[in-house]
């Protein structure tokens, strides 16, 4: 793996409380991405695929939709790939991730075009599975960690409202399986998942902004701990990019936009776990 002495030495120190940043996730793609090796670019692409996922969902609904330019693929490329797959054609894995091709194909053949929640869950599951097979231990572990955190939070919320947990869990990790099948109060994860108790405490926070900040703090701490011995490697660059995206997101959340976004987030969560009307 390549070493990035000058690149990493020139990166600014970041904290989750930063009130401004010198450049953005989009700037990173323009300014730092070109300096990476070809193999390392493919690993960084895994981060940016989250925007491609969202863009594909938009374009499947509306080919004229405005997409997020931070993705790996332009709107023209995505529309071309979507049309090719719709017409029964195939696309090389070198051109387009196989999980996205499979998702688009399934979209046109499964008859679930109107089930937005199902679509997003399916795509999320495929995305995490794809990323966890990248061959880089740190990056694979990062995606598995996030999948576990999200699943545990969903499971705790579902159980709180007496909703079936299993149908709301995504992925195929050991933690996913425990959440689907265990009837234990802690899903049998205390002692097995070192951050389980932290997530339980976070789930009990009523204030949405505070809770979301705690989750990001947990993610930040994980990155700090797991890059401690990675000094000038791609892992440090990947970690910086993730931290940058977290800060960028919080800078967008001013008082008014924050209320609107988090209202949307909680409504989405309610839809995902199908909370009964009497609890809304």
């Amino acid at each position: 793996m390549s070493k990035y002495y000058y690149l990493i030495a020139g990166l600014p120190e970041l904290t989750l409380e930063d009130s401004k940043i010198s450049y953005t996730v989009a700037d990173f793609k323009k300014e730092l991405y070109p300096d990476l090796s070809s193999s390392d670019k493919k690993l960084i692409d895994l981060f940016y695929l989250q925007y491609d996922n969202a863009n594909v969902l938009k374009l499947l609904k509306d080919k004229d939709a405005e997409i997020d330019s931070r993705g790996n693929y332009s709107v023209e490329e995505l529309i071309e790939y979507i049309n090719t797959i719709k017409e029964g054609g195939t696309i090389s894995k070198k051109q387009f991730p196989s999980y996205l091709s499979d998702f688009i194909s399934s979209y046109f053949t499964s008859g679930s075009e109107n089930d937005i929640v199902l679509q997003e869950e399916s795509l999320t599951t495929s995305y995490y599975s794809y990323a966890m097979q990248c061959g880089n231990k740190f990056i694979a572990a990062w995606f598995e960690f996030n999948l576990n955190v999200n699943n545990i939070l969903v499971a705790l919320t579902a159980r709180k409202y007496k909703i079936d947990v299993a149908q709301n869990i995504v992925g195929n990790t050991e933690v996913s399986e425990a959440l689907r099948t265990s009837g234990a109060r802690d899903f049998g994860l205390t002692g097995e998942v070192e951050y389980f108790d932290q997530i339980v405490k976070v789930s009990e926070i009523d204030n949405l902004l505070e809770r979301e900040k705690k989750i990001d703090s947990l993610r930040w701490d994980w990155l700090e701990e797991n890059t401690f011995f990675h000094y000038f490697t791609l892992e440090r660059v990947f970690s910086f990019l993730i931290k940058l995206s977290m800060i960028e997101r919080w800078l967008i959340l001013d008082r008014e936009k924050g209320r609107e976004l988090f209202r949307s987030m909680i409504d989405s969560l309610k839809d995902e776990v199908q909370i009964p009307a009497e609890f809304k």
Side-chain angles (χ1 to χ4, degrees), residues 92-125:
S92 166
K93 293 180 180 180
K94 293 182 179 180
Q95 289 180 283
F96 201 51
S98 57
Y99 82 91
L100 268 174
S101 292
D102 291 342
F103 173 79
I104 294 171
S105 177
S106 176
Y107 175 88
F108 289 117
T109 60
S110 66
S112 62
E113 291 90 341
N114 296 319
D115 195 333
I116 297 175
V117 173
L118 182 60
Q119 293 167 13
E120 292 182 351
E121 287 181 351
S122 173
L123 186 52
T124 297
T125 301

Side-chain angles (χ1 to χ4, degrees), residues 202-218:
V202 169
S203 72
E204 295 170 350
I205 298 174
D206 292 327
N207 184 283
L208 294 175
L209 283 169
E210 182 183 352
R211 184 165 67 191
E212 193 69 12
K213 200 63 171 283
K214 290 290 186 182
I215 294 171
D216 271 358
S217 292
L218 180 63

Side-chain angles (χ1 to χ4, degrees), residues 85-266:
I85 295 169
K86 183 179 181 179
E87 294 168 3
T90 59
I91 301 172
S92 166
K93 293 180 180 180
K94 293 182 179 180
Q95 289 180 283
F96 201 51
S98 57
Y99 82 91
L100 268 174
S101 292
D102 291 342
F103 173 79
I104 294 171
S105 177
S106 176
Y107 175 88
F108 289 117
T109 60
S110 66
S112 62
E113 291 90 341
N114 296 319
D115 195 333
I116 297 175
V117 173
L118 182 60
Q119 293 167 13
E120 292 182 351
E121 287 181 351
S122 173
L123 186 52
T124 297
T125 301
S126 299
Y127 171 52
Y128 278 111
S129 177
Y130 178 83
M132 286 162 57
Q133 298 174 31
C134 68
N136 179 288
K137 290 183 179 180
F138 168 80
I139 294 176
W142 164 253
F143 279 97
E144 182 172 357
F145 167 74
N146 275 275
L147 178 63
N148 290 342
V149 169
N150 294 339
N151 274 333
I152 292 170
L153 286 169
V154 168
L156 292 169
T157 301
R159 189 173 270 185
K160 177 181 178 180
Y161 291 102
K162 294 181 174 57
I163 305 205
D164 181 55
V165 174
Q167 67 179 359
N168 295 293
I169 301 302
V170 301
N172 301 299
T173 67
E174 292 182 3
V175 172
S176 300
E177 187 62 21
L179 293 171
R180 289 192 187 98
T181 60
S182 177
R185 181 181 179 85
D186 64 351
F187 301 97
L189 296 177
T190 299
E192 297 296 322
V193 177
E194 61 183 38
Y195 44 85
F196 180 77
D197 289 340
Q198 291 175 269
I199 299 176
V200 172
K201 291 179 181 178
V202 169
S203 72
E204 295 170 350
I205 298 174
D206 292 327
N207 184 283
L208 294 175
L209 283 169
E210 182 183 352
R211 184 165 67 191
E212 193 69 12
K213 200 63 171 283
K214 290 290 186 182
I215 294 171
D216 271 358
S217 292
L218 180 63
R219 293 186 174 110
W220 194 285
D221 290 343
W222 189 95
L223 291 169
E224 290 283 290
E225 179 180 348
N226 286 273
T227 56
F228 188 80
F229 293 107
H230 292 286
Y231 301 109
F232 298 100
T233 64
L234 186 278
E235 287 83 357
R236 181 75 64 169
V237 178
F238 192 89
S239 175
F240 177 83
L241 179 58
I242 295 168
K243 290 178 178 179
L244 189 62
S245 70
M246 281 195 273
I247 295 171
E248 188 174 312
R249 185 169 72 99
W250 280 101
L251 291 180
I252 294 173
L253 293 177
D254 60 28
R255 192 166 295 179
E256 283 135 22
K257 290 181 181 177
R259 289 195 190 101
E260 180 180 350
L261 178 57
F262 278 99
R263 186 68 258 162
S264 173
M265 288 170 62
I266 198 63

Side-chain angles (χ1 to χ4, degrees), residues 44-68:
I44 292 296
D45 287 345
L46 293 172
F47 169 84
Y48 287 98
L49 275 173
Q50 63 184 299
Y51 305 116
D52 293 307
N53 293 340
N55 289 339
V56 165
L57 285 171
K58 287 181 181 179
L59 292 171
L60 285 171
K61 289 294 183 183
D62 178 8
K63 63 181 178 61
D64 297 318
E66 183 176 347
I67 72 166
D68 192 324

